[in-house]
Amino acid sequence: MTKITLGKGINAGLRAAMEADPKVVVMGEDIGKLGGVFRVTEGLQKDFGEDRVIDTPLAESGIIGTAVGLALRGYRPVCEIQFDGFVFPAYDQIINQVAKMHFRSHGRIRMPVVIRIPYGGGIGAVEHHSESPETLFAHVPGLKVVSCGDPVDAYWMIQQAIATDDPVVFFEPKRRYHEKAELDESVPPALPLHQAKVVREGTDATLLCYGPMVKTCLQAAEAAVEDGRQLEVVDLRTISPFDLPTIFASVKKTRRAIVVHEAPYTLGPGSEIAARVTEECFYHLEAPVLRVTGFDTPYPPSRMEEDYLPDLDRVLDGVDRVMGY
Amino acid sequence: MTKITLGKGINAGLRAAMEADPKVVVMGEDIGKLGGVFRVTEGLQKDFGEDRVIDTPLAESGIIGTAVGLALRGYRPVCEIQFDGFVFPAYDQIINQVAKMHFRSHGRIRMPVVIRIPYGGGIGAVEHHSESPETLFAHVPGLKVVSCGDPVDAYWMIQQAIATDDPVVFFEPKRRYHEKAELDESVPPALPLHQAKVVREGTDATLLCYGPMVKTCLQAAEAAVEDGRQLEVVDLRTISPFDLPTIFASVKKTRRAIVVHEAPYTLGPGSEIAARVTEECFYHLEAPVLRVTGFDTPYPPSRMEEDYLPDLDRVLDGVDRVMGY
Amino acid sequence: MSESVPGITPEVFAPVEAPVSPPQASEEVEFVQLLTPEGERVEHPDYSFDLDDEAIKGFYRDMTLVRRIDTEATALQRQGELGLWASLLGQEAAQIGSGRALNSKDMVFPTYREHGVAWCQGVDPLRLLGLFRGVDQGAWDPRENNFHLYTIVIGAQTLHATGYAMGQQRDHAIGDAENGEATIAYFGDGASSQGDVNEAFIWASVFNAPVVFFCQNNQWAISEPIDRQTRIPLYQRAAGFGFPGVRVDGNDVLATYAVSQQALSRAREGSGPTLIEAYTYRMGAHTTSDDPTKYRLSEDLEHWKLKDPIERVRAYLTRTAGVDHDFFDQIDAEADGVAATLRAGCLSMPEPELTDFFDTVYVEQTPQLVEQKEQFAAYAASFEGEVR
Amino acid sequence: MSESVPGITPEVFAPVEAPVSPPQASEEVEFVQLLTPEGERVEHPDYSFDLDDEAIKGFYRDMTLVRRIDTEATALQRQGELGLWASLLGQEAAQIGSGRALNSKDMVFPTYREHGVAWCQGVDPLRLLGLFRGVDQGAWDPRENNFHLYTIVIGAQTLHATGYAMGQQRDHAIGDAENGEATIAYFGDGASSQGDVNEAFIWASVFNAPVVFFCQNNQWAISEPIDRQTRIPLYQRAAGFGFPGVRVDGNDVLATYAVSQQALSRAREGSGPTLIEAYTYRMGAHTTSDDPTKYRLSEDLEHWKLKDPIERVRAYLTRTAGVDHDFFDQIDAEADGVAATLRAGCLSMPEPELTDFFDTVYVEQTPQLVEQKEQFAAYAASFEGEVR
Ligand SMILES: Cc1ncc(C[n+]2csc(CCOP(=O)(O)OP(=O)(O)O)c2C)c(N)n1
Ligand SMILES: Cc1ncc(C[n+]2csc(CCOP(=O)(O)OP(=O)(O)O)c2C)c(N)n1
Ligand SMILES: [Mg+2]
Ligand SMILES: [Mg+2]
């Protein structure tokens, strides 16, 4: 058992993956000596060399485009995008190449590329450093999209993402990098990569969340007890594909659901979940699926992010609304 | 009254906008002498000169990035992206610059940029030439997204898009470029840009569609009469923002709705519409909002596109399902 | 370059210091040439052609066959058997010269027009048609032929090539000119404007990757002439990134072979990237959907016809190498055979089924796609027997 | 460049023909210099400084004040008043020299570090702080100061600048070196690798746009040294695109002025783009969040301290121009005043309200955002009086 943070969990997971498979290479801006701006790759270049931990020129399309070539050569590149807002210069390579190569080749080519993106707000940063663009990947066939909500998942999920032969966009909740937990590396991961987990059981309504919002929702569920409400909290973990059976089972039980994410409301992941849950649980629902999310504005200057981001109170307000039907 | 095609409608609309305002410039690949690969800009360079109808180097990020600069200088650039699948090299400039400039400047700067994208399938083309990426723009705060479904709308909507001071992504249903209609330029446009229109009245269920699917849904509604069903067809016209009042009014009347689009299912525009309609019309709905859409695969080789794309039969199949609740 | 922004009064454009006018087809262009349009061998101080006449006969055969394949594919498109075709007409020497300079371990990243290079790599021409017929998106195995799938998004493959070359470095697969491996990336003059291509130059240079950038400057990017992309010769771009660039007569198969050979050797040895600009001309339309009469003069075409890549080799073989009619007749007969096989193969290509395409989105299939596939299959089955 | 891919056995990397090692700080670097680190005036065949000592005193004042502003902002960050600060320390000469070469109608597109250029354009330094404090994203009007908003996405502004310059062409606003307009785009050495920057070079060259690309090569892109971006001097990049490039001593304000002046004149006259590489050094951390001890040696810093841009002007003014202590004391006092005003302004910046930010997403507001705004306002009001 070791005490790790979420950031260190990913670091340890990367290290384990690199030790297990010499074809795993890590690439990105400032990931070498500096260990990345969040220190997630700290120590890796020292131990695995500049050949496997590659400080790249400053160009995201180049990072992903060369990763495609390395993957075609049999490597398993793990690319770091420094912040959420800087993935877009690479978007064409991700959407048109990484996502489609397996399909284009009718299954002959595999693209085991992991794209790590520290995402979300709450760290007081300037523009482009606090965004939640997961819809822009989850809508795209050919990509898988996941996000870890706690340090133990961070450790295992990054390894599972690297091990899969499909491309995975791996969203890291940057403001949770310092969350701590106990990790026992000898216990195999409890769940496969694309399965959601019920992190708190409840009966009155289900909070569906992932990444940075898992902690927020757990706190909200704790607080709701005072109001006599037992909320179930589901950490989705996988955004593409969604683990629908787990979601449906919980909602059929509680008959009410709220999706919570930092991403903007319109066409955020919550829209798909709401639509699916409604279709599948139409006769079970006591209320429409509600959403507590970021607003449909660009991410605001950081002095306002507390108001922009869903927090305990906004979640509880959503619970009030959903219970009001 | 003149008979025009949808493609000629846009051409005429561009011409009218350029005549009305010398600050309107048109830019893109092959739009000059060739008149664009779909001839939508035919004749414009001859009449307005190479200064206002600019054949650009072959680089989409450059097209949008320089359009931003031209807009900052007081111009109103209309950019042509040759095909849907080629917009992604420009995605960063669209998402991070075009969409956010007004917000970033707290309203001081305006970005009257129109991005024209011929989109959708059905023309037997090779990869990247048949996609429907509207979600990837409609999810982004700061952009407006529209699509025209008939020649008369094509003529007016392009002018309205150019006239607005917000950036507009203008999706042109390429397989409908040759659809014909009568246009009377002297009659002002019936609707503002961001309003949906009921193109066929009905009572049993509402088909919500836009762009290339308007014609398909109208045909389906016609065919449904044989089954004794009166379908209402709403041409959304605007995808961001949605015209929710028109949508809600129709669904509250018919109590059943199907969203039809070519874009993939998961997180397609239909997901948001389904979620909103459910929330607003919860007690009116006889059935969940269903979706008839492209599948969650990359666009397939064209010999299969007839099966991939929603057609009359798939829409009617959806109608059967929604009536079955 | 006042012509580039007409409508702006010319006097505000003083002449710039850097050279501006792209070379005109009618002017003499500086490039490496080893065989003149008239079929005469010439020498070049830095590049020599060291193969014998048998090899040249081989090149003749290659060029003739790929041109025949190309013609047949165009015909198939006209007859509705293909949705589209991108012709290589006029670019045979650029493709065969560079393609034949490849070793068996070198890797190729093509655009959508490299039918000649595909031929050199042993890709069955029939396999090229699927993409254009709309039944697949490239039905060859890139690993079998060391020939990657066609890439339609302009320039994207140059980064793939560079990454692949970085993989060759990491595999210690470079070392000497014979046994080392190299990667070659093809792209067009238009592509040179894409950010990706320039990033590939940077990557290749910074990591000294074993990659050859082979630009076929066929003077046109659909309707846009080369001066929309650059105001100086394209090969000079490389110098700005710190690696060598060279312009070769792209219609001279001996020269494209020699220049490619040298660049590939440099790469295999570990001396890093080279940019080759093969100066050529797109004799046909951009694709079968295009109408070049809208934007270019027929005189240009006539001018370039005199520089035909195949004719000059035939002239050389006839006049200098003493090759007789039999040889040419035999190749023509072979070409007819190849074309007939191609046509027959095209006509008998199996029709694809959408249901087969749900399983190759992911390696590890998702429950959602299984469901969509099943629903679609059930739906399609409900029409069985009916004509939809 | 075997050092760039360590771990690969060196013998597979034969030396490349093109130059490989980027100049080291300790080596002598070729550039335009008009004032040595010791404060001595030197002449250059192509560039001359034609202003008098009063102007040099002005530059001294500018540099001193912006350094003081920078120091104060760093202090404010340390005290929690700013979330972040990107220091210009060491780059004052590059920014003031180029900034003072601008005419009133020239337009500037900065990155996030051009506080010195902002100063030259008359932007109130307090306005720069909002972005870093997290209350706004740049609270100046770009049109008032001809100084665009800071752009954080690396390189994106170079295309904006080029488009703006194309607008200047279309407005017939170029013509002669005095009355014509030009645009200047600032960017870093790291940015030179972005596709956008290279596309901007292509656009500017093809359209001969009146834009000056001003690259502050401060040797670092966060933790990455310049050899991660290029293996030859950056200014040479321009030649590959067909326009002039020049490297200037970025710590020499006379030289950066003279070189910028000439490039801007060329642009204003209609002679097209120039790339200027101002060879300088980032004396501080990348931003206040950065820890440079992780990746660079303190010796380097010591070496560069000897080339300080302000010290050499002070030496010149004292030794050659006979400026006495009073002048320097007066500037120091002025700097303290500017700093105090800045600090006071920062501390009294109004706290922004999220409700004000729903109305500037669009010019024509959407019903959805009105609804979200109203809901949020009602929700926020429900906490009135409570401490959330
Ligand atoms: C990113 C992107 N933008 C636009 C297109 C459409 N398009 C296809 S080919 C072409 C011209 C390419 O010219 P060039 O690079 O010179 O190659 P050539 O066709 O002449 O061989 C264009 C604009 C595309 N395929 N990809
Ligand atoms: C597209 C993009 N990728 C990554 C970043 C993160 N980032 C901010 S500054 C920087 C380094 C920039 O280096 P350089 O261009 O040399 O400018 P300098 O900071 O040295 O002035 C990086 C990688 C960014 N802002 N934008
Ligand atoms: Mg070309
Ligand atoms: Mg730098």
Side-chain angles (χ1 to χ4, degrees):
Chain A
M1 290 286 258
T2 35
K3 191 147 202 128
I4 53 159
T5 60
L6 192 148
K8 292 273 172 245
I10 296 168
N11 179 276
L14 287 169
R15 178 176 288 278
M18 294 186 81
E19 275 163 2
D21 184 350
K23 291 293 184 188
V24 175
V25 294
V26 179
M27 53 200 296
E29 297 159 7
D30 305 297
I31 66 166
K33 279 194 186 148
L34 185 64
V37 295
F38 292 107
R39 308 293 182 267
V40 169
T41 55
E42 188 142 57
L44 297 180
Q45 192 178 64
K46 198 170 129 279
D47 295 342
F48 297 100
E50 292 189 35
D51 232 16
R52 292 185 64 196
V53 181
I54 310 169
D55 265 334
T56 65
L58 205 177
E60 287 75 11
S61 190
I63 295 173
I64 304 298
T66 54
V68 167
L70 280 160
L72 292 171
R73 180 74 190 184
Y75 286 84
R76 305 183 81 84
V78 183
C79 304
E80 172 170 312
I81 297 293
Q82 202 161 76
F83 283 91
D84 33 66
F86 305 138
V87 68
F88 301 116
Y91 198 65
D92 175 59
Q93 284 286 349
I94 299 174
I95 287 339
N96 275 332
Q97 304 301 331
V98 174
K100 292 182 179 149
M101 199 69 84
H102 186 64
F103 187 80
R104 179 178 303 143
S105 69
H106 211 59
R108 286 181 201 90
I109 298 176
R110 295 177 175 204
M111 271 290 120
V113 175
V114 176
I115 302 170
R116 295 181 38 237
I117 310 181
Y119 83 121
I123 63 160
V126 296
E127 199 184 358
H128 310 295
H129 291 71
S130 305
E131 298 174 9
S132 298
E134 52 270 25
T135 282
L136 306 177
F137 300 92
H139 178 57
V140 177
L143 297 178
K144 290 182 168 170
V145 181
V146 302
S147 182
C148 52
D150 62 60
V152 176
D153 268 358
Y155 176 75
W156 289 118
M157 286 173 72
I158 188 69
Q159 293 181 67
Q160 292 170 318
I162 294 170
T164 170
D165 280 336
D166 291 311
V168 178
V169 182
F170 193 90
F171 280 106
E172 303 175 2
K174 66 169 89 83
R175 68 159 145 161
R176 305 296 183 211
Y177 272 141
H178 300 291
E179 295 294 317
K180 291 199 186 70
E182 294 287 338
L183 169 73
D184 184 347
E185 292 99 329
S186 66
V187 179
L191 298 175
L193 185 58
H194 295 289
Q195 194 164 317
K197 79 180 170 194
V198 178
V199 288
R200 180 185 175 110
E201 304 232 18
T203 48
D204 296 332
T206 299
L207 301 178
L208 299 161
C209 56
Y210 53 88
M213 289 293 98
V214 175
K215 183 177 176 184
T216 305
C217 286
L218 284 170
Q219 290 170 333
E222 194 62 44
V225 174
E226 283 181 40
D227 303 330
R229 284 176 184 155
Q230 300 300 330
L231 303 181
E232 181 143 313
V233 180
V234 179
D235 177 356
L236 299 180
R237 298 170 81 251
T238 172
I239 307 169
S240 175
F242 288 122
D243 173 10
L244 294 175
T246 304
I247 295 171
F248 294 156
S250 176
V251 180
K252 284 184 179 164
K253 182 175 80 172
T254 64
R255 307 173 84 88
R256 289 180 164 88
I258 298 171
V259 192
V260 183
H261 55 63
E262 295 189 9
Y265 182 83
T266 296
L267 284 165
S271 67
E272 182 65 34
I273 296 175
R276 294 274 181 116
V277 166
T278 307
E279 185 168 349
E280 176 72 21
C281 312
F282 191 64
Y283 298 115
H284 293 81
L285 285 176
E286 299 286 347
V289 178
L290 298 186
R291 295 176 271 166
V292 175
T293 71
F295 297 104
D296 285 333
T297 71
Y299 200 87
S302 63
R303 290 265 171 159
M304 285 160 290
E305 68 184 347
E306 261 187 51
D307 282 342
Y308 180 85
L309 294 170
D311 62 1
L312 190 151
D313 289 318
R314 290 246 323 269
V315 174
L316 292 181
D317 179 64
V319 172
D320 285 345
R321 283 191 289 131
V322 87
M323 300 304 290
Y325 275 79
Chain B
M1 291 288 260
T2 34
K3 191 146 203 131
I4 53 158
T5 61
L6 192 147
K8 291 273 171 246
I10 296 169
N11 178 276
L14 287 170
R15 179 176 287 278
M18 294 187 81
E19 275 164 2
D21 183 351
K23 290 294 183 187
V24 175
V25 294
V26 179
M27 53 200 295
E29 297 159 7
D30 304 297
I31 65 165
K33 278 194 188 149
L34 185 63
V37 294
F38 293 107
R39 309 293 182 268
V40 169
T41 55
E42 188 143 57
L44 297 180
Q45 191 178 65
K46 197 170 129 282
D47 294 341
F48 297 100
E50 292 188 34
D51 232 17
R52 293 185 65 196
V53 181
I54 310 170
D55 265 334
T56 65
L58 206 176
E60 287 75 8
S61 191
I63 295 173
I64 305 298
T66 54
V68 168
L70 281 160
L72 292 171
R73 179 74 188 184
Y75 285 84
R76 307 183 80 86
V78 183
C79 304
E80 172 169 313
I81 298 293
Q82 202 161 76
F83 282 91
D84 33 66
F86 305 138
V87 68
F88 302 116
Y91 199 65
D92 175 59
Q93 285 284 350
I94 298 174
I95 289 336
N96 277 331
Q97 305 301 332
V98 174
K100 291 181 180 150
M101 200 69 85
H102 186 64
F103 187 78
R104 179 179 302 143
S105 68
H106 210 58
R108 284 181 203 90
I109 298 176
R110 296 178 174 202
M111 270 291 119
V113 175
V114 175
I115 301 170
R116 294 181 39 237
I117 310 181
Y119 83 122
I123 62 159
V126 297
E127 200 185 357
H128 310 294
H129 291 71
S130 306
E131 298 174 10
S132 299
E134 52 270 25
T135 281
L136 306 176
F137 300 91
H139 178 56
V140 178
L143 297 178
K144 289 183 169 170
V145 182
V146 302
S147 181
C148 51
D150 63 59
V152 176
D153 268 358
Y155 176 74
W156 290 117
M157 286 174 72
I158 188 69
Q159 293 182 66
Q160 291 170 319
I162 294 170
T164 170
D165 279 336
D166 291 311
V168 178
V169 183
F170 193 90
F171 281 107
E172 303 175 2
K174 66 170 90 82
R175 69 158 143 160
R176 305 295 183 212
Y177 273 140
H178 300 291
E179 295 294 317
K180 290 199 187 70
E182 295 287 336
L183 169 73
D184 184 348
E185 292 100 329
S186 67
V187 179
L191 298 175
L193 185 58
H194 296 289
Q195 193 165 317
K197 78 179 170 196
V198 179
V199 287
R200 182 187 174 108
E201 304 232 17
T203 48
D204 296 332
T206 299
L207 301 178
L208 300 160
C209 55
Y210 54 88
M213 289 291 99
V214 175
K215 183 177 176 183
T216 305
C217 287
L218 284 171
Q219 289 170 333
E222 194 62 44
V225 174
E226 283 180 40
D227 303 330
R229 284 177 183 153
Q230 299 300 330
L231 303 181
E232 179 143 312
V233 181
V234 178
D235 177 356
L236 299 180
R237 299 171 80 251
T238 172
I239 306 169
S240 175
F242 288 123
D243 173 9
L244 294 174
T246 304
I247 296 170
F248 294 157
S250 176
V251 179
K252 282 184 181 164
K253 182 176 81 174
T254 64
R255 307 173 82 90
R256 289 178 164 90
I258 298 171
V259 192
V260 183
H261 55 62
E262 295 188 9
Y265 182 83
T266 296
L267 283 165
S271 68
E272 182 65 35
I273 296 175
R276 294 273 181 115
V277 165
T278 308
E279 186 169 347
E280 176 72 20
C281 312
F282 191 63
Y283 296 115
H284 293 81
L285 285 176
E286 300 285 347
V289 178
L290 298 187
R291 293 176 272 166
V292 175
T293 72
F295 297 104
D296 285 333
T297 70
Y299 200 88
S302 63
R303 290 264 173 161
M304 286 160 290
E305 67 184 346
E306 261 186 52
D307 281 341
Y308 179 85
L309 294 171
D311 63 2
L312 189 151
D313 288 318
R314 289 247 323 270
V315 173
L316 292 180
D317 180 63
V319 172
D320 284 346
R321 283 191 290 130
V322 86
M323 300 304 291
Y325 275 79
Chain C
M1 191 155 155
S2 59
E3 323 80 76
S4 65
V5 189
I8 290 188
T9 39
E11 61 269 29
V12 301
F13 281 95
V16 298
E17 281 162 37
V20 285
S21 317
Q24 301 297 307
S26 50
E27 289 172 19
E28 218 42 65
V29 167
E30 281 290 324
F31 50 34
V32 178
Q33 189 181 70
L34 299 175
L35 186 69
T36 68
E38 295 72 30
E40 271 154 42
R41 285 281 278 111
V42 286
E43 296 303 317
H44 188 278
D46 301 326
Y47 296 91
S48 63
F49 182 76
D50 46 14
L51 302 183
D52 59 13
D53 286 344
E54 272 313 300
I56 300 179
K57 286 165 73 180
F59 291 167
Y60 178 85
R61 173 176 172 272
D62 289 333
M63 292 197 291
T64 306
L65 296 188
V66 298
R67 182 172 288 186
R68 188 69 183 81
I69 290 165
D70 191 74
T71 314
E72 195 64 26
T74 301
L76 284 164
Q77 194 280 335
R78 295 275 174 253
Q79 292 150 13
E81 295 297 334
L82 302 181
L84 187 81
W85 181 248
S87 165
L88 61 41
L89 193 69
Q91 301 178 214
E92 295 87 353
Q95 297 191 15
I96 298 300
S98 56
R100 285 302 176 204
L102 295 165
N103 277 359
S104 66
K105 289 188 289 185
D106 295 332
M107 180 70 192
V108 178
F109 286 83
T111 71
Y112 41 78
R113 206 188 285 287
E114 272 67 69
H115 320 313
V117 187
W119 170 262
C120 296
Q121 293 295 85
V123 177
D124 178 350
L126 182 60
R127 296 272 81 80
L128 302 175
L129 299 193
L131 168 70
F132 296 98
R133 188 172 166 87
V135 301
D136 57 52
Q137 292 170 332
W140 60 95
D141 188 328
R143 278 160 311 205
E144 248 169 48
N145 301 102
N146 276 9
F147 187 78
H148 188 64
L149 296 180
Y150 279 176
T151 296
I152 293 174
V153 178
I154 297 295
Q157 77 282 2
T158 58
L159 280 169
H160 307 165
T162 305
Y164 192 93
M166 290 169 67
Q168 291 172 321
Q169 287 179 309
R170 279 159 183 71
D171 291 345
H172 304 282
I174 47 181
D176 63 72
E178 262 78 69
N179 301 308
E181 295 184 23
T183 298
I184 189 166
Y186 288 86
F187 60 104
D189 44 299
S192 68
S193 294
Q194 284 285 3
D196 273 9
V197 174
N198 294 279
E199 292 185 11
F201 292 163
I202 289 166
W203 244 260
S205 161
V206 163
F207 294 108
N208 208 36
V211 57
V212 175
F213 295 107
F214 194 95
C215 177
Q216 288 169 80
N217 174 2
N218 63 7
Q219 313 301 324
W220 295 94
I222 310 187
S223 74
E224 298 193 357
I226 178 69
D227 70 4
R228 279 294 91 169
Q229 320 294 343
T230 182
R231 65 185 192 187
I232 60 168
L234 265 180
Y235 77 94
Q236 295 178 6
R237 179 81 54 87
F241 292 97
F243 61 91
V246 53
R247 177 183 268 180
V248 60
D249 179 350
N251 286 13
D252 170 359
V253 71
L254 306 195
T256 56
Y257 177 84
V259 166
S260 303
Q261 180 65 50
Q262 186 164 316
L264 288 163
S265 295
R266 281 188 79 248
R268 294 184 203 119
E269 277 163 29
S271 299
T274 305
L275 169 63
I276 298 173
E277 176 191 357
Y279 196 82
T280 179
Y281 194 77
R282 195 194 77 207
M283 298 294 288
H286 170 68
T287 64
T288 47
S289 298
D290 181 38
D291 174 9
T293 64
K294 292 237 170 204
Y295 55 81
R296 71 182 189 187
L297 300 170
S298 52
E299 292 97 87
D300 264 23
L301 197 64
E302 293 311 314
H303 172 83
W304 277 92
K305 274 192 188 152
L306 303 175
K307 308 191 175 191
D308 188 86
I310 301 185
E311 279 315 311
R312 69 176 76 179
V313 176
R314 189 178 175 120
Y316 168 81
L317 289 176
T318 313
R319 287 189 224 141
T320 310
V323 174
D324 67 14
H325 255 284
D326 281 359
F327 171 74
F328 299 108
D329 292 348
Q330 192 185 316
I331 303 264
D332 287 345
E334 187 180 359
D336 288 341
V338 168
T341 310
L342 184 69
R343 164 168 296 265
C346 179
L347 299 183
S348 66
M349 270 192 191
E351 205 59 21
E353 292 282 346
L354 186 61
T355 37
D356 293 339
F357 283 73
F358 287 86
D359 296 325
T360 51
V361 181
Y362 298 103
V363 178
E364 295 171 31
Q365 179 60 306
T366 69
Q368 275 90 324
L369 271 173
V370 170
E371 193 188 332
Q372 291 187 13
K373 179 184 174 177
E374 283 168 2
Q375 281 172 355
F376 173 73
Y379 167 78
S382 73
F383 290 92
E384 214 100 288
E386 282 180 51
V387 185
R388 282 179 69 205
Chain D
M1 189 155 158
S2 59
E3 322 81 75
S4 65
V5 190
I8 290 187
T9 39
E11 61 269 28
V12 301
F13 281 95
V16 299
E17 281 162 35
V20 284
S21 318
Q24 301 296 307
S26 50
E27 288 172 18
E28 218 42 64
V29 166
E30 281 290 325
F31 50 34
V32 178
Q33 190 181 69
L34 299 175
L35 186 69
T36 69
E38 295 73 30
E40 272 155 41
R41 285 282 278 111
V42 286
E43 296 303 318
H44 189 279
D46 301 326
Y47 297 91
S48 63
F49 181 76
D50 46 16
L51 303 183
D52 59 14
D53 285 346
E54 272 312 300
I56 300 181
K57 284 164 75 179
F59 291 168
Y60 178 85
R61 172 177 173 271
D62 288 333
M63 293 197 290
T64 306
L65 296 188
V66 299
R67 182 172 287 186
R68 189 67 183 82
I69 289 165
D70 191 73
T71 313
E72 195 63 26
T74 301
L76 284 164
Q77 195 281 335
R78 296 275 173 254
Q79 293 150 14
E81 296 297 334
L82 302 181
L84 186 81
W85 181 248
S87 166
L88 60 42
L89 194 69
Q91 301 177 215
E92 294 87 353
Q95 296 192 15
I96 298 299
S98 57
R100 285 301 176 202
L102 295 166
N103 277 359
S104 66
K105 288 188 288 183
D106 295 333
M107 181 70 192
V108 178
F109 285 83
T111 73
Y112 41 78
R113 206 187 284 287
E114 272 66 69
H115 320 313
V117 187
W119 171 260
C120 295
Q121 293 294 87
V123 177
D124 178 349
L126 181 61
R127 297 272 80 81
L128 302 175
L129 299 193
L131 168 70
F132 296 97
R133 187 172 167 87
V135 301
D136 58 51
Q137 292 170 333
W140 60 95
D141 188 327
R143 277 160 311 202
E144 248 169 47
N145 301 103
N146 275 9
F147 187 78
H148 188 63
L149 295 181
Y150 278 176
T151 296
I152 292 174
V153 178
I154 297 294
Q157 77 282 0
T158 58
L159 280 170
H160 308 164
T162 305
Y164 193 92
M166 289 169 67
Q168 290 173 321
Q169 288 180 308
R170 280 160 182 70
D171 291 345
H172 304 281
I174 45 180
D176 65 73
E178 262 78 69
N179 301 308
E181 295 184 25
T183 297
I184 189 166
Y186 288 86
F187 61 103
D189 45 298
S192 69
S193 293
Q194 284 285 2
D196 273 9
V197 174
N198 294 280
E199 292 185 11
F201 292 164
I202 289 166
W203 245 261
S205 160
V206 163
F207 294 107
N208 208 36
V211 57
V212 174
F213 295 107
F214 195 95
C215 178
Q216 289 170 79
N217 174 1
N218 64 7
Q219 313 301 324
W220 294 95
I222 309 188
S223 73
E224 299 193 356
I226 177 70
D227 70 3
R228 278 294 91 168
Q229 319 295 343
T230 182
R231 66 184 192 187
I232 59 168
L234 265 180
Y235 76 94
Q236 295 178 7
R237 179 80 56 87
F241 292 98
F243 61 91
V246 53
R247 178 183 268 180
V248 61
D249 179 350
N251 286 13
D252 170 359
V253 71
L254 306 196
T256 56
Y257 176 85
V259 167
S260 304
Q261 180 65 50
Q262 187 164 315
L264 288 163
S265 296
R266 281 188 78 248
R268 293 184 203 121
E269 276 164 29
S271 299
T274 305
L275 170 62
I276 299 173
E277 176 190 359
Y279 197 82
T280 179
Y281 194 77
R282 195 193 76 206
M283 298 294 288
H286 169 68
T287 64
T288 47
S289 298
D290 181 38
D291 174 9
T293 65
K294 293 238 169 204
Y295 54 80
R296 71 182 188 186
L297 301 170
S298 53
E299 292 98 86
D300 263 22
L301 197 62
E302 293 310 314
H303 171 84
W304 277 91
K305 274 192 186 151
L306 303 175
K307 308 191 176 192
D308 188 87
I310 301 184
E311 279 315 308
R312 67 175 78 179
V313 177
R314 189 178 176 120
Y316 168 80
L317 288 176
T318 314
R319 287 190 226 140
T320 310
V323 173
D324 67 13
H325 254 284
D326 282 359
F327 171 75
F328 299 109
D329 290 349
Q330 193 185 316
I331 304 267
D332 287 346
E334 186 180 359
D336 287 342
V338 167
T341 309
L342 185 69
R343 165 168 294 266
C346 180
L347 298 183
S348 65
M349 269 191 191
E351 205 59 23
E353 292 283 347
L354 186 60
T355 35
D356 294 340
F357 282 73
F358 288 85
D359 296 324
T360 52
V361 180
Y362 298 103
V363 178
E364 295 172 31
Q365 179 61 306
T366 69
Q368 274 90 325
L369 271 173
V370 169
E371 192 187 333
Q372 290 188 14
K373 180 185 175 179
E374 282 167 4
Q375 282 171 357
F376 173 73
Y379 166 79
S382 73
F383 289 94
E384 215 100 288
E386 282 181 49
V387 185
R388 283 178 69 202

